[in-house]
Amino acid sequence: MPRSASRSFSRMVRGVAARRSAHSWRSNLTYRSAGVTRRSSGSTGRTLGRSTPTVKDGGVTSRGSRSERRRLGAYYTPPALVDLLVREVLLPWCETSATPPFVIDPACGDGRLLEAAGRAITERYGIDPAPFLVGVELDDTTAAETERRLGCRVLRCDAREVLGAPEYSHAFDVVIGNPPYLSQLSTGTARGGSSRLGGGPYADVAAEFLALAPRLVRSPGGRVGLVLPMSVLATRDVAPIREAVERAARIDLCWWADESMFDANVRTCILGFVVGDSAVPNGVRRFHGPDARPIDPVRHEGLATASWGWLVADVVGIPPLAIGSGHGLLRDIAIATADFRDQYYGLVGAVGDDVDGPPLVTSGLIDVAQCRWGTRATRFAKVRYAAPRVDVSRLGSALQAWARTRLVPKVLVASQTKVIEAVVDERGEWLPSVPVISVVPHDAGDVWLAAAMLTSPVASAWIALQRIGTGLSAQAIRVTASDLAALPLPADRTAWKDASDSLQNGDVYGCGRHMIHAYGLAHRADLYDWWEQRVNGSRERSG
Ligand SMILES: C[S@@+](CC[C@H](N)C(=O)[O-])C[C@H]1O[C@@H](n2cnc3c(N)ncnc32)[C@H](O)[C@@H]1O
């Protein structure tokens, strides 16, 4: 942003802040008394929203070419969610104040959220809302159109670069927005490296807006409401941002839908926060589904904390769970590793049904405690095989070295399933395909203990809570090597050993029951039932 624009914006922020304290805004405030020069036509004190919005398809799609919208993350908010944000984030703030809120949308697009906020402000305070509304928009044309249409200030810049400056710190009362979702896994939208606002390399750009928002509002009492990709609830690279936000604010509101609400293939949630307020009156207010119907509030009662999965766990159908790490973690007894493209491409050309060498085990061949190699066909590198083996002599020297590290006693874990599916390779005879995870115990004698832990109901529920919203569907558990490594060890070694014996004897359910004891959760029939049902479902599917 040009320096002059930045200065004029800061002046405007300071000016409105000063006017807020000097006036009683309940009096009939006009544009002129607020000291703002109108930029568009229309009479003083008009309500917003009479111009034609740049929206099609019931408010779900927006302007611009497909690639341009993808680059900007310009997928506009559907009306039901606009209403929810205004009703449940802005209006509660207004309930407590005789003066109108100063509202910012840091990624305002066509200004629909500001427009709705403006209408609510006019209704409550009887004033022209434009001086209280500020938008930020990266796209020049969109910013100019929105500024003209709403008559409020729209700053043309990258919100992440500008709003972190000290002059915007705590300058507003309410942040509402639907920031761009720009996946860091896609080359077209990747930022290239860690976020300067606190997240890791894979933190979506939307998470950077989440990091920024609480810093923009006054404390205590400022409110934030953002439409976000559901993955922010649990993605590991967003964890530092979640922690920072939780230190600054209380989660007050959560909405989500199981279906996509935008014409982008992404599941979304709305999170609302009250800044500088630690009181938890009735838990987090929750709304669910496309029609945002209210459902029971939820409290954070010592559940697994690395993610915000607890906000939705009961509805998604995952039992709540609290286990400590006081007895160590899986990484204390084993190394969990996922292989990547080097191994995948390195194996191409060395795999065949008619070659000699170790069996190649794909994710699709792994069921709960059963490896289907040789009895079920599978695909590798787009080719179907009945019983694929790897001719190790055809691998390059680096891949041969890799194969030697994998041909050891280990547990192989499938990547995305309803419960964790793990199989034991006791003699170290199989090679994993990508993206199978290898769990190699430091002591080969622990291989069944490691497998029992991974096969337990506790592990499945724990991983599901960590990673809620990051799998392909609401029900899928996305397993990563680092999550497995961080799985807490059970306290009761005797019950753990019983579980591993059961597993070794082919009794998966006995293993599950003993492991629940091993974690001191014998009273949790719900946990066992949840897991058993999923195990049965996955066994029925795989015949
Ligand atoms: C998901 S749309 C939301 C628009 C509108 N607030 C709504 O709720 O429908 C995100 C908007 O943010 C804009 N945008 C993308 N990156 C931005 C950035 N770094 N700073 C400010 N705006 C940005 C896009 O051009 C797009 O208009």
Side-chain angles (χ1 to χ4, degrees):
M1 178 175 56
R3 185 168 290 194
S4 59
S6 168
R7 271 203 301 271
S8 103
F9 185 62
S10 322
R11 263 202 309 279
M12 190 264 304
V13 169
R14 280 198 302 275
V16 176
R19 284 195 297 279
R20 294 180 80 249
S21 48
H23 287 274
S24 162
W25 294 92
R26 269 203 179 288
S27 64
N28 283 337
L29 187 80
T30 64
Y31 246 55
R32 190 162 306 182
S33 66
V36 172
T37 316
R38 186 200 308 279
R39 292 182 193 82
S40 56
S41 60
S43 63
T44 300
R46 81 204 187 296
T47 53
L48 299 169
R50 301 224 177 90
S51 52
T52 314
T54 51
V55 184
K56 298 179 286 185
D57 297 351
V60 178
T61 58
S62 39
R63 57 190 290 284
S65 71
R66 202 175 166 78
S67 61
E68 183 64 358
R69 285 170 55 206
R70 197 165 163 268
R71 186 182 66 78
L72 291 168
Y75 300 96
Y76 289 175
T77 311
L81 301 187
V82 173
D83 287 353
L84 185 75
L85 278 167
V86 169
R87 196 180 67 232
E88 303 298 341
V89 178
L90 181 81
L91 291 186
W93 189 96
C94 296
E95 304 284 288
T96 63
S97 174
T99 62
F102 196 24
V103 180
I104 184 167
D105 179 344
C108 71
D110 69 354
R112 64 186 59 198
L113 284 168
L114 290 174
E115 182 175 19
R119 256 188 251 116
I121 289 174
T122 299
E123 223 163 82
R124 173 158 169 92
Y125 298 99
I127 57 156
D128 187 314
F132 294 92
L133 306 177
V134 174
V136 183
E137 171 57 49
L138 188 60
D139 180 65
D140 276 352
T141 314
T142 307
E145 273 176 22
T146 301
E147 189 165 80
R148 184 183 48 72
R149 195 168 73 83
L150 301 188
C152 68
R153 183 66 195 260
V154 176
L155 194 63
R156 296 162 205 191
C157 64
D158 184 333
R160 296 167 302 162
E161 282 174 13
V162 172
L163 296 181
E167 60 262 44
Y168 309 121
S169 165
H170 307 299
F172 301 89
D173 297 303
V174 175
V175 176
I176 44 175
N178 175 10
Y181 309 165
L182 303 179
S183 165
Q184 299 307 299
L185 294 172
S186 162
T187 42
T189 54
R191 164 183 62 229
S194 285
S195 157
R196 275 184 285 156
L197 291 162
Y202 295 113
D204 192 295
V205 164
E208 301 186 276
F209 283 77
L210 170 64
L212 196 57
R215 305 179 201 168
L216 297 174
V217 295
R218 284 174 237 283
S219 179
R223 287 185 181 249
V224 171
L226 294 177
V227 187
L228 295 162
M230 191 101 176
S231 57
V232 303
L233 294 181
T235 301
R236 189 181 35 255
D237 275 25
V238 180
I241 292 176
R242 285 192 295 270
E243 279 161 28
V245 169
E246 267 194 294
R247 279 196 297 276
R250 160 174 74 81
I251 307 178
D252 167 60
L253 165 86
C254 176
W255 164 89
W256 78 101
D258 302 326
E259 48 280 269
S260 171
M261 294 280 288
F262 294 77
D263 61 346
N265 184 22
V266 60
R267 284 172 47 234
T268 45
C269 62
I270 288 179
L271 294 178
F273 302 89
V274 183
V275 172
D277 171 14
S278 57
V280 185
N282 298 308
V284 177
R285 299 178 296 136
R286 294 193 299 175
F287 302 83
H288 185 226
D291 52 351
R293 71 172 188 287
I295 59 170
D296 286 345
V298 67
R299 282 175 177 280
H300 181 229
E301 285 171 310
L303 311 179
T305 52
S307 91
W308 286 343
W310 57 270
L311 286 166
V312 303
D314 57 336
V315 178
V316 171
I318 298 171
L321 184 65
I323 43 170
S325 53
H327 301 280
L329 303 176
L330 182 70
R331 70 165 65 99
D332 299 331
I333 65 160
I335 295 175
T337 326
D339 297 309
F340 287 109
R341 52 193 309 150
D342 285 356
Q343 288 78 28
Y344 180 82
Y345 291 112
L347 286 171
V348 174
V351 176
D353 278 330
D354 51 356
V355 303
D356 205 16
L360 181 72
V361 176
T362 62
S363 232
L365 293 176
I366 299 173
D367 286 347
V368 182
Q370 266 178 318
C371 178
R372 305 284 185 180
W373 186 89
T375 60
R376 179 190 291 162
T378 189
R379 294 177 79 80
F380 172 74
K382 300 192 180 139
V383 180
R384 192 176 160 85
Y385 296 99
R389 291 180 180 273
V390 180
D391 180 349
V392 178
S393 68
R394 288 193 211 166
L395 299 176
S397 58
L399 257 286
Q400 290 200 10
W402 164 81
R404 279 194 293 279
T405 66
R406 291 288 175 272
L407 291 170
V408 293
K410 61 186 172 295
V411 185
L412 295 184
V413 184
S415 58
Q416 182 135 348
T417 44
K418 299 232 167 228
V419 284
I420 295 179
E421 298 182 344
V423 290
V424 172
D425 174 20
E426 201 169 7
R427 293 200 290 264
E429 293 171 332
W430 303 333
L431 277 178
S433 169
V434 177
V436 170
I437 297 167
S438 303
V439 177
V440 179
H442 304 318
D443 177 343
D446 286 344
V447 72
W448 286 100
L449 287 173
M453 251 184 93
L454 293 166
T455 305
S456 78
V458 176
S460 282
W462 193 82
I463 297 280
L465 277 172
Q466 304 307 302
R467 293 286 161 251
I468 244 172
T470 60
L472 293 178
S473 84
Q475 296 299 318
I477 298 176
R478 185 173 192 166
V479 185
T480 66
S482 51
D483 280 349
L484 292 187
L487 188 63
L489 299 183
D492 181 340
R493 298 252 155 182
T494 311
W496 186 9
K497 178 73 175 69
D498 291 343
S500 98
D501 290 346
S502 297
L503 190 63
Q504 202 164 355
N505 293 330
D507 179 6
V508 172
Y509 301 104
C511 168
R513 274 191 296 274
H514 286 304
M515 282 310 301
I516 285 190
H517 276 271
Y519 279 103
L521 296 167
H523 56 290
R524 290 292 304 277
D526 62 318
L527 185 57
Y528 180 83
D529 293 346
W530 169 81
W531 173 79
E532 188 190 55
Q533 209 177 12
R534 286 180 162 222
V535 172
N536 290 342
S538 105
R539 291 191 149 191
E540 271 159 29
R541 262 190 316 282
S542 54

